[in-house]
Amino acid sequence: MPLISAGLLLFRRCPASGEGRFEVFLAHPGGPFWEKKDDGAWTIPKGIIEDGEDSLAAARREFKEETGITAEGPFLDLGNITQKAGKVVHAWAWEGDADAAAIKSNMTRVVWPPGSGRWLAVPEVDRCAWFSPEEAILKINPAQADLISRLAKLLG
């Protein structure tokens, strides 16, 4: 059975850049595996839905854990995507603003180097940034790029 996650895509409108322009807020995973990866490595803040948990509630919880930011609706349903390894991600967008330099991520533990048996504590997210849709599609996990296209359609 595939893992099922839920996440949020924060966006802000950029009227100075032209009608219909917006930016999206993406997260870069923490830890040594991800530290030198950029294009294709960024993601929406997301995580596993716990047993019995509402998927939107899980998305809001994960966003808070990974960024320190409390997500406020309304939320726009972006549907779901399936990542390369089979993980299904349910996603919503919400409009707001955030200081990317001020994020505060929770910590997680990883074995590093792989197979060594040594555990490292690392932030789940090491940084966040705002991107235009065109930039974001290059930066984000390729399976999640469709979420940005779906948001663009919803915003007209």
Side-chain angles (χ1 to χ4, degrees):
M1 184 166 155
L3 292 176
I4 301 176
S5 289
L8 296 178
L9 179 60
L10 174 60
F11 72 95
R12 64 184 179 192
R13 296 174 201 262
C14 305
S17 300
E19 185 69 29
R21 298 298 299 163
F22 65 96
E23 293 179 319
V24 294
F25 188 79
L26 300 180
H28 186 272
F33 178 81
W34 296 103
E35 71 183 339
K36 294 183 180 164
K37 296 181 183 336
D38 190 52
D39 288 352
W42 293 71
T43 183
I44 66 169
K46 65 179 180 357
I48 302 297
I49 300 170
E50 296 175 1
D51 286 342
E53 187 177 25
D54 173 77
S55 53
L56 179 55
R60 293 181 73 195
R61 174 183 50 76
E62 287 290 337
F63 197 92
K64 174 74 172 175
E65 288 176 3
E66 294 183 4
T67 67
I69 300 165
T70 301
E72 302 292 338
F75 299 98
L76 305 171
D77 190 347
L78 298 176
N80 62 62
I81 54 96
T82 302
Q83 296 188 161
K84 187 176 179 181
K87 180 189 285 185
V88 175
V89 180
H90 297 278
W92 291 263
W94 65 290
E95 186 172 2
D97 203 355
D99 179 355
I103 66 134
K104 291 183 170 72
S105 178
N106 61 331
M107 301 295 282
T108 190
R109 290 172 26 111
V110 297
V111 174
W112 196 261
S116 68
R118 292 189 328 194
W119 287 90
L120 275 176
V122 299
E124 249 187 284
V125 168
D126 63 12
R127 64 190 181 274
C128 288
W130 288 99
F131 296 101
S132 70
E134 299 80 13
E135 293 170 310
I137 285 172
L138 297 174
K139 298 291 183 190
I140 201 165
N141 175 312
Q144 294 178 29
D146 197 39
L147 298 174
I148 297 163
S149 300
R150 292 176 193 177
L151 175 61
K153 283 181 184 176
L154 286 173
L155 297 178

